[in-house]
PDB file of all heavy atoms in Angstrom:
ATOM      1  N   GLY H1433      32.034   0.754  25.608  1.00  0.00           N
ATOM      2  CA  GLY H1433      32.921   1.134  26.699  1.00  0.00           C
ATOM      3  C   GLY H1433      32.903   0.078  27.791  1.00  0.00           C
ATOM      4  O   GLY H1433      32.531  -1.086  27.581  1.00  0.00           O
ATOM      5  N   SER H1434      33.283   0.481  28.975  1.00  0.00           N
ATOM      6  CA  SER H1434      33.391  -0.470  30.088  1.00  0.00           C
ATOM      7  C   SER H1434      32.102  -0.593  30.885  1.00  0.00           C
ATOM      8  O   SER H1434      31.885  -1.602  31.565  1.00  0.00           O
ATOM      9  CB  SER H1434      34.523  -0.041  31.033  1.00  0.00           C
ATOM     10  OG  SER H1434      34.278   1.269  31.528  1.00  0.00           O
ATOM     11  N   ARG H1435      31.228   0.417  30.816  1.00  0.00           N
ATOM     12  CA  ARG H1435      30.034   0.414  31.661  1.00  0.00           C
ATOM     13  C   ARG H1435      28.734   0.351  30.867  1.00  0.00           C
ATOM     14  O   ARG H1435      27.720  -0.114  31.389  1.00  0.00           O
ATOM     15  CB  ARG H1435      29.989   1.675  32.539  1.00  0.00           C
ATOM     16  CG  ARG H1435      31.159   1.830  33.489  1.00  0.00           C
ATOM     17  CD  ARG H1435      30.973   3.051  34.374  1.00  0.00           C
ATOM     18  NE  ARG H1435      30.743   4.273  33.592  1.00  0.00           N
ATOM     19  CZ  ARG H1435      29.588   4.911  33.519  1.00  0.00           C
ATOM     20  NH1 ARG H1435      28.534   4.447  34.172  1.00  0.00           N
ATOM     21  NH2 ARG H1435      29.465   6.018  32.801  1.00  0.00           N
ATOM     22  N   LEU H1436      28.741   0.817  29.646  1.00  0.00           N
ATOM     23  CA  LEU H1436      27.493   0.987  28.902  1.00  0.00           C
ATOM     24  C   LEU H1436      27.271  -0.148  27.912  1.00  0.00           C
ATOM     25  O   LEU H1436      28.197  -0.839  27.490  1.00  0.00           O
ATOM     26  CB  LEU H1436      27.506   2.321  28.147  1.00  0.00           C
ATOM     27  CG  LEU H1436      27.770   3.570  28.989  1.00  0.00           C
ATOM     28  CD1 LEU H1436      27.782   4.810  28.113  1.00  0.00           C
ATOM     29  CD2 LEU H1436      26.723   3.696  30.096  1.00  0.00           C
ATOM     30  N   VAL H1437      25.997  -0.327  27.545  1.00  0.00           N
ATOM     31  CA  VAL H1437      25.591  -1.321  26.553  1.00  0.00           C
ATOM     32  C   VAL H1437      24.718  -0.620  25.522  1.00  0.00           C
ATOM     33  O   VAL H1437      23.827   0.157  25.872  1.00  0.00           O
ATOM     34  CB  VAL H1437      24.814  -2.488  27.202  1.00  0.00           C
ATOM     35  CG1 VAL H1437      24.253  -3.421  26.134  1.00  0.00           C
ATOM     36  CG2 VAL H1437      25.712  -3.266  28.146  1.00  0.00           C
ATOM     37  N   LEU H1438      24.991  -0.910  24.237  1.00  0.00           N
ATOM     38  CA  LEU H1438      24.246  -0.298  23.140  1.00  0.00           C
ATOM     39  C   LEU H1438      23.293  -1.323  22.536  1.00  0.00           C
ATOM     40  O   LEU H1438      23.677  -2.433  22.188  1.00  0.00           O
ATOM     41  CB  LEU H1438      25.202   0.210  22.054  1.00  0.00           C
ATOM     42  CG  LEU H1438      24.554   0.715  20.759  1.00  0.00           C
ATOM     43  CD1 LEU H1438      23.683   1.936  21.029  1.00  0.00           C
ATOM     44  CD2 LEU H1438      25.618   1.040  19.713  1.00  0.00           C
ATOM     45  N   LEU H1439      22.029  -0.911  22.390  1.00  0.00           N
ATOM     46  CA  LEU H1439      20.994  -1.746  21.782  1.00  0.00           C
ATOM     47  C   LEU H1439      20.493  -1.057  20.518  1.00  0.00           C
ATOM     48  O   LEU H1439      20.040   0.088  20.565  1.00  0.00           O
ATOM     49  CB  LEU H1439      19.832  -1.951  22.766  1.00  0.00           C
ATOM     50  CG  LEU H1439      18.571  -2.617  22.205  1.00  0.00           C
ATOM     51  CD1 LEU H1439      18.850  -4.065  21.823  1.00  0.00           C
ATOM     52  CD2 LEU H1439      17.423  -2.539  23.214  1.00  0.00           C
ATOM     53  N   LEU H1440      20.601  -1.749  19.373  1.00  0.00           N
ATOM     54  CA  LEU H1440      20.096  -1.247  18.095  1.00  0.00           C
ATOM     55  C   LEU H1440      18.958  -2.150  17.642  1.00  0.00           C
ATOM     56  O   LEU H1440      19.109  -3.376  17.576  1.00  0.00           O
ATOM     57  CB  LEU H1440      21.204  -1.230  17.028  1.00  0.00           C
ATOM     58  CG  LEU H1440      22.390  -0.304  17.297  1.00  0.00           C
ATOM     59  CD1 LEU H1440      23.433  -0.446  16.202  1.00  0.00           C
ATOM     60  CD2 LEU H1440      21.918   1.150  17.406  1.00  0.00           C
ATOM     61  N   VAL H1441      17.813  -1.555  17.316  1.00  0.00           N
ATOM     62  CA  VAL H1441      16.614  -2.304  16.933  1.00  0.00           C
ATOM     63  C   VAL H1441      16.162  -1.841  15.558  1.00  0.00           C
ATOM     64  O   VAL H1441      15.960  -0.646  15.334  1.00  0.00           O
ATOM     65  CB  VAL H1441      15.482  -2.112  17.963  1.00  0.00           C
ATOM     66  CG1 VAL H1441      14.246  -2.898  17.540  1.00  0.00           C
ATOM     67  CG2 VAL H1441      15.940  -2.547  19.344  1.00  0.00           C
ATOM     68  N   GLU H1442      16.010  -2.799  14.644  1.00  0.00           N
ATOM     69  CA  GLU H1442      15.585  -2.521  13.273  1.00  0.00           C
ATOM     70  C   GLU H1442      14.170  -3.058  13.087  1.00  0.00           C
ATOM     71  O   GLU H1442      13.886  -4.219  13.393  1.00  0.00           O
ATOM     72  CB  GLU H1442      16.534  -3.199  12.276  1.00  0.00           C
ATOM     73  CG  GLU H1442      16.290  -2.814  10.837  1.00  0.00           C
ATOM     74  CD  GLU H1442      16.844  -1.429  10.508  1.00  0.00           C
ATOM     75  OE1 GLU H1442      17.735  -0.952  11.234  1.00  0.00           O
ATOM     76  OE2 GLU H1442      16.381  -0.853   9.516  1.00  0.00           O
ATOM     77  N   ASP H1443      13.268  -2.202  12.548  1.00  0.00           N
ATOM     78  CA  ASP H1443      11.885  -2.607  12.283  1.00  0.00           C
ATOM     79  C   ASP H1443      11.838  -3.374  10.961  1.00  0.00           C
ATOM     80  O   ASP H1443      12.115  -2.823   9.892  1.00  0.00           O
ATOM     81  CB  ASP H1443      10.990  -1.366  12.213  1.00  0.00           C
ATOM     82  CG  ASP H1443       9.511  -1.725  12.128  1.00  0.00           C
ATOM     83  OD1 ASP H1443       9.202  -2.921  12.032  1.00  0.00           O
ATOM     84  OD2 ASP H1443       8.674  -0.803  12.146  1.00  0.00           O
ATOM     85  N   LEU H1444      11.475  -4.650  11.032  1.00  0.00           N
ATOM     86  CA  LEU H1444      11.432  -5.516   9.847  1.00  0.00           C
ATOM     87  C   LEU H1444      10.012  -5.764   9.349  1.00  0.00           C
ATOM     88  O   LEU H1444       9.807  -6.558   8.429  1.00  0.00           O
ATOM     89  CB  LEU H1444      12.077  -6.874  10.166  1.00  0.00           C
ATOM     90  CG  LEU H1444      13.512  -6.857  10.680  1.00  0.00           C
ATOM     91  CD1 LEU H1444      13.960  -8.289  10.971  1.00  0.00           C
ATOM     92  CD2 LEU H1444      14.438  -6.197   9.670  1.00  0.00           C
ATOM     93  N   THR H1445       9.020  -5.087   9.922  1.00  0.00           N
ATOM     94  CA  THR H1445       7.626  -5.389   9.598  1.00  0.00           C
ATOM     95  C   THR H1445       7.334  -5.174   8.128  1.00  0.00           C
ATOM     96  O   THR H1445       6.763  -6.039   7.446  1.00  0.00           O
ATOM     97  CB  THR H1445       6.695  -4.522  10.454  1.00  0.00           C
ATOM     98  OG1 THR H1445       7.034  -4.669  11.839  1.00  0.00           O
ATOM     99  CG2 THR H1445       5.252  -4.924  10.246  1.00  0.00           C
ATOM    100  N   GLU H1446       7.710  -4.019   7.595  1.00  0.00           N
ATOM    101  CA  GLU H1446       7.426  -3.712   6.196  1.00  0.00           C
ATOM    102  C   GLU H1446       8.207  -4.624   5.260  1.00  0.00           C
ATOM    103  O   GLU H1446       7.681  -5.081   4.236  1.00  0.00           O
ATOM    104  CB  GLU H1446       7.762  -2.249   5.907  1.00  0.00           C
ATOM    105  CG  GLU H1446       7.396  -1.787   4.500  1.00  0.00           C
ATOM    106  CD  GLU H1446       5.913  -1.800   4.234  1.00  0.00           C
ATOM    107  OE1 GLU H1446       5.136  -1.907   5.206  1.00  0.00           O
ATOM    108  OE2 GLU H1446       5.524  -1.720   3.051  1.00  0.00           O
ATOM    109  N   ALA H1447       9.453  -4.914   5.607  1.00  0.00           N
ATOM    110  CA  ALA H1447      10.252  -5.806   4.769  1.00  0.00           C
ATOM    111  C   ALA H1447       9.644  -7.203   4.710  1.00  0.00           C
ATOM    112  O   ALA H1447       9.609  -7.838   3.649  1.00  0.00           O
ATOM    113  CB  ALA H1447      11.684  -5.876   5.296  1.00  0.00           C
ATOM    114  N   ARG H1448       9.145  -7.681   5.841  1.00  0.00           N
ATOM    115  CA  ARG H1448       8.505  -8.999   5.844  1.00  0.00           C
ATOM    116  C   ARG H1448       7.215  -8.986   5.037  1.00  0.00           C
ATOM    117  O   ARG H1448       6.895  -9.963   4.350  1.00  0.00           O
ATOM    118  CB  ARG H1448       8.220  -9.428   7.290  1.00  0.00           C
ATOM    119  CG  ARG H1448       9.447  -9.900   8.044  1.00  0.00           C
ATOM    120  CD  ARG H1448       9.038 -10.573   9.337  1.00  0.00           C
ATOM    121  NE  ARG H1448      10.185 -11.056  10.100  1.00  0.00           N
ATOM    122  CZ  ARG H1448      10.088 -11.673  11.261  1.00  0.00           C
ATOM    123  NH1 ARG H1448       8.885 -11.897  11.791  1.00  0.00           N
ATOM    124  NH2 ARG H1448      11.173 -12.084  11.902  1.00  0.00           N
ATOM    125  N   ARG H1449       6.455  -7.895   5.127  1.00  0.00           N
ATOM    126  CA  ARG H1449       5.212  -7.819   4.359  1.00  0.00           C
ATOM    127  C   ARG H1449       5.501  -7.846   2.866  1.00  0.00           C
ATOM    128  O   ARG H1449       4.833  -8.548   2.100  1.00  0.00           O
ATOM    129  CB  ARG H1449       4.448  -6.544   4.718  1.00  0.00           C
ATOM    130  CG  ARG H1449       3.071  -6.448   4.100  1.00  0.00           C
ATOM    131  CD  ARG H1449       2.502  -5.064   4.253  1.00  0.00           C
ATOM    132  NE  ARG H1449       3.246  -4.089   3.461  1.00  0.00           N
ATOM    133  CZ  ARG H1449       3.050  -3.915   2.151  1.00  0.00           C
ATOM    134  NH1 ARG H1449       2.165  -4.642   1.499  1.00  0.00           N
ATOM    135  NH2 ARG H1449       3.754  -3.020   1.498  1.00  0.00           N
ATOM    136  N   ILE H1450       6.504  -7.078   2.450  1.00  0.00           N
ATOM    137  CA  ILE H1450       6.866  -7.050   1.029  1.00  0.00           C
ATOM    138  C   ILE H1450       7.357  -8.411   0.570  1.00  0.00           C
ATOM    139  O   ILE H1450       7.020  -8.882  -0.527  1.00  0.00           O
ATOM    140  CB  ILE H1450       7.935  -5.970   0.786  1.00  0.00           C
ATOM    141  CG1 ILE H1450       7.336  -4.581   1.037  1.00  0.00           C
ATOM    142  CG2 ILE H1450       8.481  -6.054  -0.632  1.00  0.00           C
ATOM    143  CD1 ILE H1450       8.342  -3.456   0.947  1.00  0.00           C
ATOM    144  N   GLU H1451       8.131  -9.074   1.417  1.00  0.00           N
ATOM    145  CA  GLU H1451       8.627 -10.400   1.063  1.00  0.00           C
ATOM    146  C   GLU H1451       7.476 -11.401   0.941  1.00  0.00           C
ATOM    147  O   GLU H1451       7.478 -12.259   0.050  1.00  0.00           O
ATOM    148  CB  GLU H1451       9.627 -10.877   2.114  1.00  0.00           C
ATOM    149  CG  GLU H1451      10.229 -12.243   1.846  1.00  0.00           C
ATOM    150  CD  GLU H1451      10.984 -12.307   0.520  1.00  0.00           C
ATOM    151  OE1 GLU H1451      11.519 -11.259   0.091  1.00  0.00           O
ATOM    152  OE2 GLU H1451      11.018 -13.397  -0.078  1.00  0.00           O
ATOM    153  N   ALA H1452       6.486 -11.283   1.817  1.00  0.00           N
ATOM    154  CA  ALA H1452       5.334 -12.181   1.734  1.00  0.00           C
ATOM    155  C   ALA H1452       4.540 -11.932   0.455  1.00  0.00           C
ATOM    156  O   ALA H1452       4.085 -12.875  -0.201  1.00  0.00           O
ATOM    157  CB  ALA H1452       4.441 -11.997   2.965  1.00  0.00           C
ATOM    158  N   VAL H1453       4.377 -10.646   0.102  1.00  0.00           N
ATOM    159  CA  VAL H1453       3.673 -10.326  -1.141  1.00  0.00           C
ATOM    160  C   VAL H1453       4.430 -10.874  -2.340  1.00  0.00           C
ATOM    161  O   VAL H1453       3.848 -11.451  -3.268  1.00  0.00           O
ATOM    162  CB  VAL H1453       3.478  -8.797  -1.259  1.00  0.00           C
ATOM    163  CG1 VAL H1453       2.970  -8.421  -2.643  1.00  0.00           C
ATOM    164  CG2 VAL H1453       2.512  -8.305  -0.190  1.00  0.00           C
ATOM    165  N   ARG H1454       5.752 -10.693  -2.343  1.00  0.00           N
ATOM    166  CA  ARG H1454       6.563 -11.199  -3.449  1.00  0.00           C
ATOM    167  C   ARG H1454       6.497 -12.723  -3.533  1.00  0.00           C
ATOM    168  O   ARG H1454       6.380 -13.299  -4.622  1.00  0.00           O
ATOM    169  CB  ARG H1454       8.012 -10.743  -3.275  1.00  0.00           C
ATOM    170  CG  ARG H1454       8.917 -11.155  -4.420  1.00  0.00           C
ATOM    171  CD  ARG H1454      10.359 -10.754  -4.164  1.00  0.00           C
ATOM    172  NE  ARG H1454      10.503  -9.295  -4.109  1.00  0.00           N
ATOM    173  CZ  ARG H1454      10.781  -8.616  -3.014  1.00  0.00           C
ATOM    174  NH1 ARG H1454      10.943  -9.260  -1.862  1.00  0.00           N
ATOM    175  NH2 ARG H1454      10.891  -7.313  -3.039  1.00  0.00           N
ATOM    176  N   ARG H1455       6.527 -13.371  -2.389  1.00  0.00           N
ATOM    177  CA  ARG H1455       6.470 -14.839  -2.374  1.00  0.00           C
ATOM    178  C   ARG H1455       5.125 -15.335  -2.898  1.00  0.00           C
ATOM    179  O   ARG H1455       5.066 -16.279  -3.697  1.00  0.00           O
ATOM    180  CB  ARG H1455       6.721 -15.342  -0.947  1.00  0.00           C
ATOM    181  CG  ARG H1455       6.826 -16.847  -0.829  1.00  0.00           C
ATOM    182  CD  ARG H1455       7.343 -17.244   0.536  1.00  0.00           C
ATOM    183  NE  ARG H1455       6.550 -16.678   1.612  1.00  0.00           N
ATOM    184  CZ  ARG H1455       6.983 -15.723   2.445  1.00  0.00           C
ATOM    185  NH1 ARG H1455       8.203 -15.219   2.287  1.00  0.00           N
ATOM    186  NH2 ARG H1455       6.212 -15.257   3.402  1.00  0.00           N
ATOM    187  N   ASP H1456       4.052 -14.696  -2.453  1.00  0.00           N
ATOM    188  CA  ASP H1456       2.726 -15.084  -2.942  1.00  0.00           C
ATOM    189  C   ASP H1456       2.591 -14.823  -4.434  1.00  0.00           C
ATOM    190  O   ASP H1456       1.969 -15.604  -5.160  1.00  0.00           O
ATOM    191  CB  ASP H1456       1.646 -14.319  -2.177  1.00  0.00           C
ATOM    192  CG  ASP H1456       1.559 -14.739  -0.719  1.00  0.00           C
ATOM    193  OD1 ASP H1456       2.086 -15.831  -0.396  1.00  0.00           O
ATOM    194  OD2 ASP H1456       0.998 -13.984   0.082  1.00  0.00           O
ATOM    195  N   PHE H1457       3.160 -13.710  -4.877  1.00  0.00           N
ATOM    196  CA  PHE H1457       3.075 -13.379  -6.300  1.00  0.00           C
ATOM    197  C   PHE H1457       3.795 -14.434  -7.143  1.00  0.00           C
ATOM    198  O   PHE H1457       3.271 -14.898  -8.166  1.00  0.00           O
ATOM    199  CB  PHE H1457       3.681 -12.000  -6.539  1.00  0.00           C
ATOM    200  CG  PHE H1457       3.635 -11.554  -7.977  1.00  0.00           C
ATOM    201  CD1 PHE H1457       2.449 -11.158  -8.554  1.00  0.00           C
ATOM    202  CD2 PHE H1457       4.779 -11.530  -8.752  1.00  0.00           C
ATOM    203  CE1 PHE H1457       2.397 -10.753  -9.878  1.00  0.00           C
ATOM    204  CE2 PHE H1457       4.745 -11.129 -10.070  1.00  0.00           C
ATOM    205  CZ  PHE H1457       3.546 -10.726 -10.637  1.00  0.00           C
ATOM    206  N   VAL H1458       4.993 -14.822  -6.728  1.00  0.00           N
ATOM    207  CA  VAL H1458       5.739 -15.835  -7.470  1.00  0.00           C
ATOM    208  C   VAL H1458       4.984 -17.164  -7.473  1.00  0.00           C
ATOM    209  O   VAL H1458       4.905 -17.850  -8.506  1.00  0.00           O
ATOM    210  CB  VAL H1458       7.146 -16.011  -6.871  1.00  0.00           C
ATOM    211  CG1 VAL H1458       7.860 -17.198  -7.485  1.00  0.00           C
ATOM    212  CG2 VAL H1458       7.964 -14.745  -7.071  1.00  0.00           C
ATOM    213  N   ALA H1459       4.402 -17.516  -6.325  1.00  0.00           N
ATOM    214  CA  ALA H1459       3.648 -18.763  -6.255  1.00  0.00           C
ATOM    215  C   ALA H1459       2.434 -18.725  -7.178  1.00  0.00           C
ATOM    216  O   ALA H1459       2.134 -19.706  -7.875  1.00  0.00           O
ATOM    217  CB  ALA H1459       3.217 -19.034  -4.820  1.00  0.00           C
TER     218      ALA H1459
END
Side-chain angles (χ1 to χ4, degrees):
S1434 58
R1435 299 184 305 109
L1436 305 179
V1437 173
L1438 172 63
L1439 171 67
L1440 297 177
V1441 180
E1442 188 77 21
D1443 188 355
L1444 303 179
T1445 307
E1446 185 65 14
R1448 284 192 180 180
R1449 187 192 67 81
I1450 293 175
E1451 181 60 29
V1453 170
R1454 183 183 296 111
R1455 186 169 54 249
D1456 292 342
F1457 180 73
V1458 171

